[in-house]
Amino acid sequence: MKIAIIGSGGREHALVATISKSSRVNEIFCIPGNAGTSRIATNVEMDINEFDKVYKFINDNSIDLVVIGPEQPLVNGIVDYLEKFNIKVFGPNKIASQLEGSKIFTKKLCQDCGIPTAKFGIFENRIDAKKFLENTKYPNVIKADNLAAGKGVYICNNEQESFMAVEEIFDGKFGEAKNVLIEEFLKGEEMSYFIISDGTSIKSFETAQDHKRVLEGDNGKNTGGMGAYSPSRLINSNLENKILSKIIKPTLKGLSNLGTEYKGFLYAGLMIVENEPYLIEYNVRMGDPECQTILPKLKTDLVEILEACCNKKLAEVNIEWNSKKSLCVVLCSKGYPDTYKKNVLINNLENFTVNKNSFIFHAGTKKENNKIYATGGRVLNFISLSDNFLKARNEVHHCIKRLDWNGGFHRRDIGFKVID
Ligand code: AMP
Ligand code: GLY
């Protein structure tokens, strides 16, 4: 088979690396990819939001299966576009992708299907939003409706902070805003829960815990994710049954009531309050860095799973996992998530080797004249599998120490809730 993966981050390098282990695969393309994917796939420089160009490449090269990594092309309808030409694509369609593309779509679906989530109000203008805020409890949570790459969410402790959030959102800080969402603050512990679906059946695709804040101790600004571990310390079979019966299954039923179905990875961002799950958000893709953390544990051939999803045969596949603990630390350019230098040489990465239970997935890197440069905010992911999280983290830190790059930084406390 020939497979194309769309995207250029750590998630996509992990997908490419896992797919490359399959005996079913002859050739892999990554559009556009990074320095890491270029070692095992052919990178194709292209704007992934120009669907006609993506289609032409896929058609010209007789690609058998396309896997979409990031949310933006999914929300813009790349799956519907390619399927019109009878191309096999792994990912949800445009309507189903509204689960991530519009927080209000998801909140309304929760309301219609009785899915547990924070109480909320939707406001079309500043005056109504502020009137509501005068009689509300704090802290509360104020969100822009758009795709805002993890930004666009304010936790507000008082009226002044919440008024500022409303102003910034309606001023267009996260793109044109037709609405704001004001939510009750849920106090609990977060967990990422993943499933994979072929539109008819679903299978669990593991759990993880991301670390979104830039500084140790979960302080500082929000980022795309500074590190993760899998499994989440919260998961147990009783909780999993509740997540499936109260959240995932009603969501898929809600989509079916809208005349559509869900094919792809679905990522539920949950708040667990006293062993009860509440939906905070959906993402219509694997998480990043959760994907890098989870995929090294997968024992079943990923291509078999993805193909089965496209052929509505997921029920026939038995997905097996390594029982080891996995921990991922993200190395970022100094300055991230604000401004940082680009095109900084990473000295010894080209010939860097790790042991068989450790993995390096690239994110913002590029290769030029056999040298690898940091080009993004999140640059590299170091992952280790071990019997326990402490050993996994020690091994990751040991690898990172050997890297000769003084333009980067990382959190040293990833997994602190399960380790320290
Ligand atoms: P979101 O983009 O909706 O996932 O929100 C980003 C982050 O804000 C989440 O990962 C949570 O840490 C936090 N958050 C969002 N909604 C709530 C809520 N209703 N209660 C508490 N924390 C929240
Ligand atoms: N790790 C958070 C995300 O992928 O959205």
Side-chain angles (χ1 to χ4, degrees):
M1 284 178 78
K2 287 188 181 181
I3 303 191
I5 291 92
I6 309 267
S8 63
R11 168 182 49 217
E12 287 74 28
H13 187 190
L15 285 166
V16 168
T18 311
I19 284 171
S20 75
K21 292 193 295 188
S22 170
S23 58
R24 300 168 183 236
V25 178
N26 308 106
E27 203 171 358
I28 310 177
F29 297 92
C30 196
I31 312 174
N34 57 39
T37 63
S38 73
R39 292 177 164 201
I40 34 181
T42 306
N43 282 356
V44 182
E45 196 48 52
M46 191 177 288
D47 180 348
I48 57 174
N49 292 305
E50 294 189 29
F51 296 167
D52 50 340
K53 293 193 178 137
V54 174
Y55 165 67
K56 187 172 184 317
F57 178 83
I58 284 160
N59 189 48
D60 288 351
N61 290 279
S62 309
I63 308 280
D64 301 294
L65 173 67
V66 184
V67 182
I68 316 292
E71 62 277 16
Q72 190 77 59
L74 291 168
V75 171
N76 292 345
I78 193 167
V79 173
D80 314 57
Y81 186 93
L82 295 175
E83 284 182 343
K84 270 197 311 214
F85 299 103
N86 289 322
I87 288 168
K88 234 178 233 184
V89 195
F90 179 80
N93 64 28
K94 187 169 181 176
I95 296 179
S97 296
Q98 287 296 300
L99 286 176
E100 178 162 2
S102 167
K103 291 186 190 296
I104 290 172
F105 174 90
T106 302
K107 278 295 199 186
K108 287 192 168 150
L109 192 111
C110 287
Q111 208 166 33
D112 293 346
C113 303
I115 296 167
T117 187
K119 293 193 194 81
F120 67 101
I122 297 167
F123 301 90
E124 287 179 3
N125 60 60
R126 300 169 207 241
I127 295 169
D128 290 348
K130 288 184 179 173
K131 203 182 286 168
F132 174 84
L133 287 168
E134 282 166 9
N135 296 303
T136 184
K137 275 197 279 179
Y138 289 96
N140 65 10
V141 186
I142 302 190
K143 301 181 178 181
D145 188 33
N146 334 40
L147 262 191
K151 297 163 195 127
V153 175
Y154 296 80
I155 314 265
C156 304
N157 292 305
N158 51 50
E159 194 175 287
Q160 191 193 354
E161 283 176 23
S162 60
F163 276 27
M164 199 180 83
V166 168
E167 290 294 343
E168 289 193 356
I169 291 170
F170 278 120
D171 282 345
K173 187 162 177 191
F174 309 99
E176 192 200 348
K178 293 202 180 75
N179 302 285
V180 294
L181 197 66
I182 302 179
E183 282 185 21
E184 157 202 30
F185 179 81
L186 293 173
K187 197 166 170 0
E189 191 170 327
E190 283 182 72
M191 174 178 129
S192 308
Y193 185 86
F194 298 89
I195 60 136
I196 187 166
S197 171
D198 65 1
T200 313
S201 32
I202 59 170
K203 301 245 164 170
S204 155
F205 213 76
E206 283 285 314
T207 59
Q209 174 63 59
D210 191 9
H211 298 63
K212 287 199 174 119
R213 303 294 196 95
V214 68
L215 301 177
E216 283 165 22
D218 286 343
N219 292 306
K221 290 190 173 166
N222 254 331
T223 68
M226 299 295 294
Y229 60 85
S230 171
S232 157
R233 69 165 174 172
L234 301 171
I235 195 68
N236 57 61
S237 59
N238 174 271
L239 178 63
E240 180 154 30
N241 288 336
K242 287 184 198 167
I243 294 168
L244 291 170
S245 65
K246 296 186 176 184
I247 295 182
I248 306 287
K249 287 181 184 165
T251 300
L252 300 178
K253 177 80 181 15
L255 290 178
S256 147
N257 293 344
L258 293 174
T260 194
E261 60 180 30
Y262 198 95
K263 165 176 47 85
F265 291 119
L266 179 62
Y267 162 171
L270 304 172
M271 188 69 84
I272 311 299
V273 186
E274 293 165 1
N275 210 41
E276 283 297 323
Y278 289 80
L279 181 73
I280 291 196
E281 62 158 357
Y282 271 128
N283 296 308
V284 296
R285 50 177 174 82
M286 275 306 282
D288 182 336
E290 290 95 326
C291 186
Q292 299 89 298
T293 315
I294 289 173
L295 280 182
K297 297 201 303 177
L298 179 65
K299 290 209 276 191
T300 310
D301 182 335
L302 180 59
V303 176
E304 181 191 348
I305 300 171
L306 300 177
E307 257 200 303
C309 277
C310 293
N311 298 331
K312 283 207 180 302
K313 296 213 162 120
L314 182 62
E316 294 171 20
V317 182
N318 182 25
I319 304 184
E320 288 187 278
W321 299 96
N322 187 327
S323 60
K324 284 198 163 57
K325 313 283 187 208
S326 178
L327 187 135
C328 167
V329 174
V330 180
L331 263 77
C332 302
S333 297
K334 282 180 188 161
Y336 175 79
D338 298 317
T339 52
Y340 49 84
K341 280 194 203 146
K342 293 188 178 164
N343 300 316
V344 179
L345 180 66
I346 307 174
N347 286 310
N348 60 342
L349 187 54
E350 182 55 18
N351 298 311
F352 201 86
T353 52
V354 291
N355 70 33
K356 74 172 185 5
N357 282 319
S358 296
F359 307 84
I360 299 180
F361 297 127
H362 292 215
T365 63
K366 74 165 185 199
K367 190 169 165 180
E368 246 174 39
N369 301 325
N370 280 325
K371 290 197 169 124
I372 297 176
Y373 295 84
T375 56
R378 291 193 292 170
V379 177
L380 294 169
N381 304 265
F382 282 69
I383 299 95
S384 266
L385 301 187
S386 191
D387 303 333
N388 65 54
F389 286 121
L390 176 62
K391 279 196 206 161
R393 190 173 71 184
N394 285 344
E395 183 55 34
V396 163
H397 288 176
H398 177 70
C399 290
I400 292 174
K401 273 206 191 93
R402 290 193 285 122
L403 189 75
D404 184 6
W405 179 40
N406 59 20
F409 76 98
H410 64 278
R411 272 181 64 169
R412 286 161 299 164
D413 70 338
I414 298 302
F416 69 93
K417 285 192 178 153
V418 280
I419 297 175
D420 301 324

